Coordinates of all heavy atoms in Angstrom, one line a residue:
T2 N 0.8 -1.2 0.0 CA 0.0 0.0 0.0 C 0.9 1.2 0.0 O 2.1 1.2 0.3 CB -0.9 0.0 1.2 OG1 -0.1 0.1 2.4 CG2 -1.8 -1.2 1.3
A3 N 0.2 2.4 -0.3 CA 1.0 3.6 -0.3 C 1.5 4.0 1.0 O 2.6 4.6 1.2 CB 0.1 4.7 -0.9
S4 N 0.7 3.8 2.1 CA 1.1 4.2 3.4 C 2.2 3.3 3.9 O 3.1 3.8 4.6 CB -0.1 4.2 4.4 OG -0.6 2.9 4.5
G5 N 2.2 2.1 3.5 CA 3.3 1.2 3.8 C 4.6 1.6 3.2 O 5.7 1.5 3.8
K6 N 4.6 2.0 1.9 CA 5.8 2.5 1.3 C 6.3 3.8 1.9 O 7.5 3.9 2.1 CB 5.5 2.8 -0.2 CG 5.4 1.5 -1.0 CD 5.2 1.9 -2.5 CE 5.1 0.7 -3.3 NZ 4.9 1.0 -4.7
G7 N 5.4 4.7 2.3 CA 5.8 5.9 3.0 C 6.5 5.6 4.3 O 7.4 6.2 4.7
L8 N 5.9 4.6 5.0 CA 6.5 4.3 6.3 C 7.9 3.7 6.2 O 8.8 4.0 6.9 CB 5.5 3.3 7.0 CG 6.0 2.8 8.4 CD1 6.1 4.0 9.4 CD2 5.0 1.8 9.0
A9 N 8.1 2.8 5.1 CA 9.4 2.2 4.9 C 10.4 3.3 4.5 O 11.5 3.2 5.0 CB 9.2 1.2 3.7
V10 N 10.0 4.3 3.7 CA 10.9 5.3 3.3 C 11.3 6.1 4.6 O 12.5 6.5 4.8 CB 10.3 6.2 2.2 CG1 11.1 7.5 2.0 CG2 10.2 5.4 0.9
T11 N 10.3 6.4 5.4 CA 10.6 7.2 6.6 C 11.5 6.4 7.5 O 12.4 7.0 8.1 CB 9.2 7.5 7.3 OG1 8.4 8.2 6.4 CG2 9.5 8.4 8.6
L12 N 11.3 5.1 7.7 CA 12.1 4.3 8.6 C 13.6 4.2 8.0 O 14.5 4.3 8.7 CB 11.6 2.9 8.8 CG 10.3 2.9 9.6 CD1 9.7 1.4 9.6 CD2 10.6 3.3 11.0
A13 N 13.7 4.1 6.7 CA 15.0 4.1 6.1 C 15.8 5.4 6.3 O 17.0 5.4 6.5 CB 14.9 3.7 4.6
M14 N 15.0 6.5 6.2 CA 15.7 7.8 6.4 C 16.1 8.0 7.8 O 17.1 8.5 8.1 CB 14.7 8.9 5.9 CG 14.6 9.0 4.4 SD 13.3 10.2 3.8 CE 13.3 11.5 5.0
A15 N 15.2 7.5 8.7 CA 15.5 7.6 10.2 C 16.7 6.7 10.6 O 17.4 7.0 11.6 CB 14.3 7.3 11.0
A16 N 16.9 5.6 9.9 CA 18.0 4.7 10.3 C 19.4 5.3 10.0 O 20.3 5.0 10.8 CB 17.8 3.4 9.5
G17 N 19.6 6.1 9.0 CA 20.9 6.6 8.7 C 21.2 7.9 9.5 O 20.3 8.5 10.1
P18 N 22.4 8.3 9.5 CA 22.7 9.6 10.2 C 22.2 10.8 9.4 O 22.1 10.8 8.2 CB 24.3 9.6 10.2 CG 24.7 8.8 9.1 CD 23.6 7.7 8.9
P19 N 21.8 11.8 10.1 CA 21.3 13.0 9.5 C 22.4 13.7 8.7 O 23.6 13.6 9.0 CB 20.8 13.9 10.6 CG 21.7 13.5 11.8 CD 21.9 12.0 11.6
P20 N 22.1 14.4 7.6 CA 23.1 15.1 6.8 C 23.7 16.2 7.7 O 23.1 16.8 8.5 CB 22.3 15.6 5.6 CG 20.9 15.7 6.1 CD 20.7 14.6 7.1
P21 N 25.0 16.5 7.4 CA 25.6 17.6 8.2 C 25.0 18.9 7.8 O 24.8 19.3 6.7 CB 27.1 17.5 7.7 CG 27.0 16.9 6.4 CD 25.9 15.9 6.4
L22 N 24.7 19.7 8.8 CA 24.0 21.0 8.7 C 24.9 22.0 9.4 O 24.4 22.8 10.2 CB 22.6 21.0 9.2 CG 21.6 20.1 8.5 CD1 20.3 20.1 9.3 CD2 21.4 20.6 7.1
E23 N 26.1 22.1 9.0 CA 27.0 23.1 9.6 C 27.3 24.2 8.6 O 28.1 24.1 7.7 CB 28.3 22.4 10.0 CG 28.1 21.3 11.0 CD 29.4 20.6 11.3 OE1 30.5 21.1 10.9 OE2 29.4 19.5 11.8
P24 N 26.6 25.3 8.7 CA 26.9 26.4 7.8 C 28.2 27.1 8.1 O 28.7 27.0 9.2 CB 25.7 27.4 8.1 CG 25.3 27.1 9.5 CD 25.6 25.7 9.7
S25 N 28.8 27.6 7.1 CA 30.1 28.3 7.3 C 29.9 29.5 8.2 O 28.9 30.2 8.1 CB 30.7 28.7 5.9 OG 29.9 29.6 5.3
P26 N 30.8 29.7 9.1 CA 30.7 30.9 10.0 C 30.7 32.2 9.2 O 31.5 32.4 8.3 CB 31.9 30.7 10.9 CG 32.9 29.9 10.2 CD 32.1 29.0 9.3
L27 N 29.8 33.1 9.6 CA 29.8 34.4 9.0 C 30.9 35.3 9.7 O 31.2 35.2 10.9 CB 28.4 35.1 9.3 CG 27.3 34.4 8.6 CD1 26.0 35.0 9.0 CD2 27.4 34.4 7.1
P28 N 31.5 36.1 8.9 CA 32.5 37.0 9.4 C 31.8 38.1 10.4 O 30.7 38.5 10.1 CB 33.1 37.7 8.2 CG 32.1 37.6 7.2 CD 31.3 36.4 7.4
T29 N 32.5 38.3 11.5 CA 31.9 39.3 12.4 C 32.8 40.5 12.5 O 34.0 40.4 12.4 CB 31.8 38.7 13.8 OG1 33.1 38.2 14.2 CG2 30.8 37.5 13.8
F30 N 32.2 41.6 12.6 CA 32.9 42.9 12.7 C 32.5 43.6 14.0 O 31.4 44.3 13.9 CB 32.7 43.8 11.4 CG 33.0 43.0 10.2 CD1 32.1 42.4 9.4 CD2 34.3 43.0 9.7 CE1 32.4 41.7 8.3 CE2 34.7 42.3 8.6 CZ 33.7 41.7 7.8
P31 N 33.2 43.4 15.1 CA 32.7 43.9 16.3 C 32.7 45.5 16.3 O 33.6 46.1 15.9 CB 33.7 43.4 17.3 CG 34.9 43.1 16.6 CD 34.5 42.7 15.2
E32 N 31.6 46.0 16.8 CA 31.4 47.4 17.0 C 31.8 48.2 15.8 O 32.5 49.2 15.8 CB 32.2 47.9 18.2 CG 31.8 47.3 19.5 CD 32.6 47.8 20.7 OE1 33.2 48.9 20.6 OE2 32.7 47.0 21.7
E33 N 31.2 47.8 14.7 CA 31.5 48.5 13.4 C 30.4 49.5 13.2 O 29.2 49.2 13.1 CB 31.5 47.5 12.3 CG 31.9 48.1 10.9 CD 31.9 47.0 9.9 OE1 31.0 46.1 9.9 OE2 32.8 47.1 9.0
G34 N 30.8 50.8 13.1 CA 29.8 51.9 12.9 C 29.4 52.0 11.4 O 29.9 51.2 10.5
F35 N 28.5 52.9 11.1 CA 28.1 53.1 9.7 C 29.2 53.4 8.8 O 29.3 52.9 7.7 CB 27.0 54.1 9.7 CG 26.5 54.4 8.3 CD1 25.6 53.5 7.7 CD2 26.9 55.5 7.6 CE1 25.2 53.8 6.4 CE2 26.5 55.8 6.3 CZ 25.6 54.9 5.7
A36 N 30.0 54.4 9.2 CA 31.1 54.9 8.3 C 32.1 53.7 8.0 O 32.5 53.6 6.9 CB 31.8 56.1 8.9
D37 N 32.4 53.0 9.1 CA 33.4 51.9 8.9 C 32.8 50.8 8.0 O 33.5 50.3 7.1 CB 33.7 51.2 10.3 CG 34.5 52.2 11.2 OD1 35.2 53.1 10.7 OD2 34.3 52.0 12.4
K38 N 31.5 50.5 8.2 CA 30.9 49.5 7.3 C 30.8 50.0 5.9 O 31.1 49.2 5.0 CB 29.5 49.2 7.9 CG 28.8 48.0 7.1 CD 27.5 47.7 7.8 CE 26.9 46.5 7.0 NZ 25.6 46.1 7.7
F39 N 30.5 51.2 5.7 CA 30.4 51.8 4.4 C 31.7 51.7 3.7 O 31.8 51.3 2.5 CB 29.9 53.2 4.4 CG 29.7 53.9 3.1 CD1 28.6 53.6 2.3 CD2 30.7 54.8 2.6 CE1 28.5 54.2 1.0 CE2 30.5 55.4 1.4 CZ 29.5 55.1 0.6
L40 N 32.8 52.1 4.3 CA 34.1 52.1 3.7 C 34.6 50.6 3.4 O 35.1 50.4 2.4 CB 35.1 52.7 4.7 CG 35.0 54.3 4.8 CD1 36.0 54.8 5.8 CD2 35.3 54.9 3.4
R41 N 34.2 49.7 4.3 CA 34.6 48.3 4.1 C 33.8 47.8 2.9 O 34.4 47.2 2.0 CB 34.3 47.5 5.3 CG 34.6 46.0 5.1 CD 34.3 45.2 6.4 NE 33.0 45.3 6.9 CZ 31.9 44.6 6.4 NH1 32.1 43.8 5.5 NH2 30.7 44.8 7.0
K42 N 32.5 48.0 2.8 CA 31.7 47.6 1.7 C 32.2 48.2 0.3 O 32.2 47.6 -0.7 CB 30.3 47.8 1.9 CG 29.7 47.1 3.0 CD 29.5 45.6 2.6 CE 28.7 44.9 3.6 NZ 28.4 43.5 3.2
T43 N 32.6 49.5 0.4 CA 33.1 50.2 -0.8 C 34.4 49.6 -1.3 O 34.6 49.5 -2.5 CB 33.2 51.7 -0.5 OG1 32.0 52.2 -0.1 CG2 33.7 52.5 -1.7
R44 N 35.2 49.2 -0.3 CA 36.5 48.6 -0.7 C 36.2 47.2 -1.3 O 36.9 46.8 -2.3 CB 37.4 48.5 0.5 CG 38.3 49.7 0.7 CD 39.3 49.5 1.8 NE 39.0 50.4 2.8 CZ 38.6 50.2 4.0 NH1 38.4 48.9 4.4 NH2 38.3 51.1 4.9
E45 N 35.2 46.5 -0.8 CA 34.9 45.2 -1.3 C 34.3 45.2 -2.7 O 34.6 44.4 -3.6 CB 33.9 44.4 -0.4 CG 34.5 44.0 0.9 CD 33.5 43.4 1.9 OE1 32.3 43.3 1.5 OE2 33.8 43.1 3.0
N46 N 33.5 46.2 -3.0 CA 32.8 46.3 -4.3 C 32.6 47.8 -4.6 O 31.6 48.4 -4.4 CB 31.5 45.6 -4.3 CG 30.9 45.4 -5.6 OD1 31.5 45.8 -6.6 ND2 29.7 44.8 -5.7
P47 N 33.6 48.4 -5.2 CA 33.6 49.8 -5.5 C 32.6 50.3 -6.6 O 32.3 51.4 -6.7 CB 35.0 50.2 -5.9 CG 35.6 48.9 -6.4 CD 34.9 47.8 -5.6
L48 N 32.2 49.3 -7.4 CA 31.3 49.7 -8.5 C 29.9 50.0 -8.0 O 29.2 50.8 -8.7 CB 31.2 48.6 -9.5 CG 32.5 48.3 -10.3 CD1 32.3 47.1 -11.2 CD2 33.0 49.5 -11.0
V49 N 29.4 49.5 -6.9 CA 28.1 49.8 -6.5 C 27.9 51.2 -6.0 O 27.0 51.9 -6.5 CB 27.7 48.8 -5.3 CG1 26.3 49.2 -4.7 CG2 27.6 47.4 -5.9
P50 N 28.7 51.8 -5.2 CA 28.6 53.2 -4.8 C 28.8 54.1 -6.0 O 28.1 55.1 -6.2 CB 29.6 53.5 -3.8 CG 30.1 52.2 -3.3 CD 29.8 51.2 -4.3
L51 N 29.7 53.8 -6.9 CA 29.9 54.5 -8.1 C 28.6 54.5 -9.0 O 28.2 55.6 -9.5 CB 31.1 54.0 -8.9 CG 31.5 54.7 -10.1 CD1 32.0 56.1 -9.8 CD2 32.6 54.0 -10.9
G52 N 28.0 53.4 -9.1 CA 26.8 53.2 -9.9 C 25.6 54.0 -9.3 O 24.8 54.7 -10.0
C53 N 25.6 54.0 -7.9 CA 24.5 54.8 -7.2 C 24.7 56.3 -7.5 O 23.7 57.0 -7.7 CB 24.6 54.5 -5.7 SG 24.0 52.8 -5.3
L54 N 26.0 56.7 -7.4 CA 26.3 58.1 -7.6 C 25.9 58.5 -9.1 O 25.3 59.6 -9.3 CB 27.7 58.4 -7.4 CG 28.2 59.8 -7.5 CD1 27.5 60.7 -6.4 CD2 29.7 59.9 -7.3
C55 N 26.2 57.7 -10.0 CA 25.9 57.9 -11.4 C 24.4 58.0 -11.6 O 23.8 58.9 -12.3 CB 26.5 56.8 -12.3 SG 26.2 57.1 -14.0
T56 N 23.7 57.0 -11.0 CA 22.2 57.0 -11.1 C 21.6 58.3 -10.6 O 20.7 58.9 -11.2 CB 21.6 55.8 -10.4 OG1 22.2 54.6 -11.0 CG2 20.1 55.7 -10.5
V57 N 22.0 58.7 -9.4 CA 21.4 59.9 -8.8 C 21.8 61.1 -9.6 O 20.9 62.0 -9.8 CB 21.9 60.0 -7.3 CG1 21.6 61.4 -6.7 CG2 21.3 58.9 -6.5
S58 N 23.0 61.2 -10.1 CA 23.4 62.3 -11.0 C 22.5 62.5 -12.2 O 22.1 63.6 -12.5 CB 24.9 62.2 -11.4 OG 25.7 62.2 -10.3
V59 N 22.3 61.4 -12.9 CA 21.5 61.4 -14.1 C 20.0 61.7 -13.7 O 19.4 62.5 -14.5 CB 21.6 60.0 -14.8 CG1 20.6 59.9 -15.9 CG2 23.0 59.8 -15.4
L60 N 19.6 61.2 -12.6 CA 18.2 61.5 -12.2 C 18.0 63.0 -11.9 O 17.1 63.7 -12.4 CB 17.9 60.7 -10.9 CG 16.5 61.1 -10.3 CD1 15.4 60.7 -11.2 CD2 16.4 60.3 -8.9
V61 N 19.0 63.6 -11.2 CA 18.9 65.0 -10.8 C 19.0 65.9 -12.1 O 18.2 66.8 -12.3 CB 20.0 65.4 -9.8 CG1 20.1 66.9 -9.7 CG2 19.7 64.8 -8.5
Y62 N 19.9 65.5 -13.0 CA 20.0 66.3 -14.3 C 18.7 66.2 -15.1 O 18.2 67.1 -15.7 CB 21.2 65.8 -15.1 CG 21.4 66.6 -16.3 CD1 21.7 68.0 -16.2 CD2 21.3 66.1 -17.6 CE1 21.9 68.7 -17.4 CE2 21.5 66.8 -18.7 CZ 21.8 68.1 -18.6 OH 22.0 68.9 -19.7
G63 N 18.1 65.0 -15.1 CA 16.8 64.8 -15.8 C 15.7 65.6 -15.2 O 14.9 66.2 -15.9
I64 N 15.7 65.7 -13.9 CA 14.6 66.5 -13.2 C 14.8 68.0 -13.5 O 13.9 68.7 -13.8 CB 14.6 66.2 -11.7 CG1 14.1 64.8 -11.4 CG2 13.8 67.3 -11.0 CD1 14.2 64.4 -10.0
I65 N 16.1 68.4 -13.5 CA 16.4 69.8 -13.9 C 15.9 70.1 -15.3 O 15.3 71.2 -15.6 CB 17.9 70.1 -13.7 CG1 18.2 70.1 -12.2 CG2 18.3 71.5 -14.3 CD1 19.7 70.2 -11.9
C66 N 16.2 69.2 -16.2 CA 15.8 69.4 -17.6 C 14.3 69.4 -17.8 O 13.8 70.2 -18.5 CB 16.4 68.3 -18.5 SG 18.2 68.4 -18.8
F67 N 13.6 68.6 -17.0 CA 12.2 68.6 -17.0 C 11.6 69.9 -16.5 O 10.7 70.4 -17.1 CB 11.7 67.4 -16.2 CG 10.2 67.3 -16.1 CD1 9.5 66.8 -17.2 CD2 9.5 67.6 -15.0 CE1 8.1 66.7 -17.2 CE2 8.1 67.5 -14.9 CZ 7.4 67.1 -16.0
K68 N 12.2 70.4 -15.4 CA 11.7 71.6 -14.9 C 11.9 72.8 -15.8 O 11.1 73.7 -15.9 CB 12.5 71.9 -13.6 CG 11.6 72.5 -12.5 CD 12.3 72.5 -11.2 CE 11.5 73.3 -10.3 NZ 11.2 73.0 -9.1
K69 N 13.0 72.8 -16.6 CA 13.3 73.9 -17.5 C 12.5 73.7 -18.8 O 12.5 74.6 -19.6 CB 14.8 73.8 -17.9 CG 15.7 74.3 -16.8 CD 17.1 74.3 -17.3 CE 18.1 74.9 -16.3 NZ 19.5 74.9 -16.7
G70 N 11.8 72.6 -19.0 CA 10.9 72.4 -20.2 C 11.6 71.7 -21.3 O 11.0 71.6 -22.4
N71 N 12.8 71.2 -21.1 CA 13.5 70.5 -22.1 C 13.1 69.0 -22.0 O 13.8 68.1 -21.5 CB 15.0 70.6 -22.0 CG 15.8 70.1 -23.2 OD1 15.2 69.4 -24.0 ND2 17.1 70.4 -23.2
T72 N 11.9 68.7 -22.6 CA 11.3 67.3 -22.4 C 12.1 66.3 -23.1 O 12.2 65.1 -22.7 CB 9.9 67.3 -22.9 OG1 9.8 67.8 -24.2 CG2 9.0 68.2 -22.0
R73 N 12.7 66.6 -24.3 CA 13.5 65.6 -25.0 C 14.7 65.2 -24.2 O 14.9 64.0 -24.1 CB 13.9 66.2 -26.4 CG 14.6 65.2 -27.3 CD 15.0 65.9 -28.6 NE 15.8 65.0 -29.3 CZ 15.4 64.4 -30.4 NH1 14.2 64.5 -30.9 NH2 16.3 63.6 -31.1
R74 N 15.4 66.1 -23.7 CA 16.6 65.7 -22.9 C 16.2 65.1 -21.6 O 16.8 64.1 -21.1 CB 17.4 67.0 -22.6 CG 18.5 66.7 -21.6 CD 19.9 67.0 -21.9 NE 20.3 67.1 -23.3 CZ 21.2 68.0 -23.7 NH1 21.8 68.7 -22.8 NH2 21.5 68.0 -25.0
S75 N 15.0 65.5 -21.0 CA 14.5 64.9 -19.8 C 14.2 63.4 -20.0 O 14.6 62.5 -19.2 CB 13.3 65.6 -19.3 OG 12.7 65.0 -18.2
Q76 N 13.6 63.1 -21.1 CA 13.3 61.7 -21.5 C 14.5 60.9 -21.7 O 14.6 59.7 -21.2 CB 12.4 61.6 -22.7 CG 10.9 61.9 -22.5 CD 10.3 60.9 -21.6 OE1 10.5 59.7 -21.8 NE2 9.6 61.3 -20.6
L77 N 15.5 61.5 -22.3 CA 16.8 60.8 -22.5 C 17.5 60.5 -21.2 O 18.0 59.4 -21.0 CB 17.7 61.7 -23.4 CG 19.0 61.1 -23.8 CD1 18.9 59.9 -24.7 CD2 19.9 62.2 -24.4
M78 N 17.4 61.5 -20.3 CA 18.0 61.2 -19.0 C 17.3 60.2 -18.2 O 17.9 59.4 -17.4 CB 18.1 62.6 -18.2 CG 19.1 63.6 -18.7 SD 20.8 62.9 -18.7 CE 21.1 62.7 -20.4
M79 N 16.0 60.1 -18.3 CA 15.2 59.1 -17.6 C 15.6 57.7 -18.1 O 15.7 56.7 -17.4 CB 13.7 59.3 -17.6 CG 13.3 60.5 -16.8 SD 13.7 60.4 -15.1 CE 14.9 61.8 -15.0
R80 N 15.8 57.6 -19.4 CA 16.2 56.3 -20.0 C 17.7 56.0 -19.6 O 18.0 54.8 -19.3 CB 16.2 56.4 -21.5 CG 14.7 56.4 -22.0 CD 14.6 56.5 -23.5 NE 13.2 56.6 -23.9 CZ 12.8 57.4 -24.8 NH1 13.7 58.2 -25.5 NH2 11.5 57.5 -25.1
A81 N 18.5 57.0 -19.5 CA 19.9 56.8 -19.0 C 19.9 56.4 -17.6 O 20.7 55.6 -17.1 CB 20.7 58.1 -19.2
R82 N 18.9 56.9 -16.8 CA 18.8 56.5 -15.4 C 18.5 55.0 -15.2 O 19.1 54.3 -14.4 CB 17.7 57.3 -14.7 CG 17.5 56.9 -13.2 CD 16.3 57.5 -12.6 NE 15.1 57.2 -13.4 CZ 14.4 56.1 -13.2 NH1 14.7 55.2 -12.4 NH2 13.3 55.9 -14.0
V83 N 17.6 54.5 -16.1 CA 17.2 53.1 -16.0 C 18.4 52.3 -16.4 O 18.7 51.2 -15.7 CB 16.0 52.8 -17.0 CG1 15.8 51.4 -17.1 CG2 14.8 53.5 -16.5
I84 N 19.2 52.7 -17.4 CA 20.4 51.9 -17.7 C 21.4 52.0 -16.6 O 22.0 50.9 -16.3 CB 21.0 52.5 -19.0 CG1 20.1 52.2 -20.2 CG2 22.4 51.9 -19.3 CD1 20.4 52.9 -21.5
A85 N 21.6 53.1 -16.0 CA 22.5 53.3 -14.9 C 22.1 52.4 -13.7 O 22.9 51.7 -13.0 CB 22.7 54.7 -14.4
Q86 N 20.8 52.3 -13.4 CA 20.3 51.5 -12.4 C 20.5 50.0 -12.7 O 20.9 49.2 -11.8 CB 18.8 51.7 -12.2 CG 18.4 52.7 -11.2 CD 16.9 52.8 -11.1 OE1 16.2 53.2 -12.0 NE2 16.3 52.4 -9.9
G87 N 20.3 49.6 -13.9 CA 20.6 48.2 -14.3 C 22.1 47.9 -14.1 O 22.4 46.8 -13.7
C88 N 23.0 48.8 -14.5 CA 24.4 48.6 -14.3 C 24.8 48.5 -12.9 O 25.6 47.6 -12.5 CB 25.2 49.7 -15.0 SG 25.1 49.6 -16.8
T89 N 24.1 49.3 -12.0 CA 24.4 49.2 -10.6 C 23.9 47.9 -10.0 O 24.6 47.3 -9.2 CB 23.7 50.4 -9.9 OG1 24.1 51.6 -10.4 CG2 24.0 50.4 -8.4
F90 N 22.7 47.5 -10.5 CA 22.2 46.2 -10.0 C 23.1 45.0 -10.4 O 23.4 44.1 -9.7 CB 20.8 46.0 -10.5 CG 20.1 44.8 -9.9 CD1 19.7 44.7 -8.6 CD2 19.8 43.7 -10.7 CE1 19.1 43.6 -8.0 CE2 19.2 42.6 -10.2 CZ 18.8 42.5 -8.9
A91 N 23.6 45.1 -11.7 CA 24.5 44.1 -12.2 C 25.8 44.1 -11.3 O 26.4 43.0 -11.0 CB 24.8 44.3 -13.6
A92 N 26.3 45.2 -11.0 CA 27.5 45.3 -10.2 C 27.3 44.7 -8.8 O 28.1 44.0 -8.2 CB 28.0 46.8 -10.1
L93 N 26.1 45.0 -8.2 CA 25.7 44.4 -6.9 C 25.7 42.9 -7.0 O 26.2 42.2 -6.1 CB 24.4 45.0 -6.5 CG 23.8 44.5 -5.2 CD1 24.7 45.1 -4.0 CD2 22.4 45.0 -5.0
L94 N 25.0 42.4 -8.0 CA 24.9 40.9 -8.1 C 26.3 40.3 -8.4 O 26.7 39.3 -7.8 CB 24.0 40.5 -9.3 CG 22.5 40.7 -9.0 CD1 21.7 40.3 -10.2 CD2 22.1 39.9 -7.8
G95 N 27.1 41.0 -9.2 CA 28.5 40.5 -9.5 C 29.3 40.5 -8.2 O 30.1 39.5 -8.0
G96 N 29.2 41.5 -7.4 CA 29.9 41.6 -6.2 C 29.5 40.5 -5.2 O 30.3 39.9 -4.5
M97 N 28.2 40.2 -5.2 CA 27.7 39.2 -4.3 C 28.2 37.8 -4.8 O 28.6 37.0 -3.9 CB 26.2 39.2 -4.2 CG 25.6 40.3 -3.5 SD 23.8 40.5 -3.6 CE 23.2 38.9 -3.2
A98 N 28.2 37.6 -6.1 CA 28.7 36.3 -6.6 C 30.2 36.1 -6.3 O 30.6 35.0 -6.0 CB 28.4 36.2 -8.1
A99 N 30.9 37.2 -6.5 CA 32.4 37.1 -6.3 C 32.7 36.8 -4.8 O 33.5 36.0 -4.5 CB 33.0 38.4 -6.7
T100 N 31.9 37.5 -3.9 CA 32.1 37.2 -2.5 C 31.7 35.8 -2.1 O 32.4 35.1 -1.4 CB 31.2 38.2 -1.6 OG1 31.6 39.5 -2.0 CG2 31.4 38.0 -0.2
A101 N 30.6 35.3 -2.7 CA 30.2 33.9 -2.4 C 31.2 32.9 -3.0 O 31.6 31.9 -2.3 CB 28.8 33.6 -3.0
F102 N 31.8 33.2 -4.2 CA 32.8 32.3 -4.8 C 34.1 32.3 -4.0 O 34.7 31.3 -3.8 CB 33.0 32.7 -6.2 CG 34.0 31.9 -6.9 CD1 33.6 30.6 -7.3 CD2 35.3 32.3 -7.2 CE1 34.5 29.8 -8.0 CE2 36.2 31.5 -7.9 CZ 35.8 30.2 -8.3
K103 N 34.4 33.5 -3.5 CA 35.7 33.6 -2.7 C 35.5 32.9 -1.4 O 36.5 32.3 -0.9 CB 36.0 35.1 -2.4 CG 37.4 35.3 -1.9 CD 37.6 36.8 -1.5 CE 37.2 37.8 -2.6 NZ 37.5 39.2 -2.2
S104 N 34.3 32.9 -0.7 CA 34.2 32.3 0.6 C 34.1 30.7 0.4 O 34.4 30.0 1.4 CB 32.9 32.8 1.2 OG 31.7 32.3 0.5
R105 N 33.8 30.2 -0.8 CA 33.7 28.8 -1.0 C 35.1 28.2 -1.1 O 35.3 27.0 -0.9 CB 33.0 28.4 -2.2 CG 31.5 28.5 -2.0 CD 30.8 28.0 -3.2 NE 29.6 27.3 -2.8 CZ 28.8 26.7 -3.6 NH1 29.1 26.6 -4.8 NH2 27.7 26.1 -3.1
Q106 N 36.1 29.0 -1.5 CA 37.5 28.4 -1.7 C 38.2 28.4 -0.4 O 38.1 28.8 0.5 CB 38.2 29.3 -2.7 CG 37.7 29.2 -4.1 CD 38.4 30.1 -5.1 OE1 39.2 30.9 -4.7 NE2 38.2 29.8 -6.3

């Protein structure tokens, strides 16, 4: 029966040792303030703050162009902002992957 097979599988799983569940220890940074953490993260992945700065700069310039009535340039800057955001996100994911790969070795 189906319940008999389920019971046999459960008993077989219970008979063996459990799989090891030891996660790798996370690095700790005792009493690290905001500025220290920001500088450490910037050194680890400098493209993310650079991308954020670029995104905000393009956004501000686009808003200024919009306010002045230059709609064509404003639209161009909003498209550039989306591209800058995408590049920033890609840098973030790349940094996370590099950190994960480095911690596995």
Side-chain angles (χ1 to χ4, degrees):
T2 65
S4 64
K6 285 184 180 180
L8 181 62
V10 170
T11 305
L12 290 175
M14 288 173 32
L22 295 174
E23 299 174 16
S25 60
L27 295 173
T29 57
F30 304 97
E32 299 181 22
E33 185 179 39
F35 176 78
D37 295 331
K38 185 175 183 178
F39 180 77
L40 289 173
R41 178 177 56 83
K42 293 286 188 178
T43 301
R44 274 186 241 112
E45 288 175 5
N46 193 358
L48 293 178
V49 173
L51 185 65
C53 290
L54 184 64
C55 182
T56 302
V57 169
S58 301
V59 170
L60 174 66
V61 169
Y62 184 63
I64 290 172
I65 290 170
C66 289
F67 179 74
K68 217 168 168 138
K69 287 182 178 179
N71 191 349
T72 55
R73 185 178 171 108
R74 172 123 340 146
S75 175
Q76 282 294 315
L77 183 67
M78 288 300 107
M79 290 304 114
R80 291 179 184 137
R82 177 195 55 87
V83 171
I84 292 169
Q86 267 182 294
C88 291
T89 303
F90 187 69
L93 180 67
L94 287 179
M97 288 173 50
T100 303
F102 183 71
K103 193 185 311 181
S104 67
R105 283 188 146 185
Q106 291 180 346

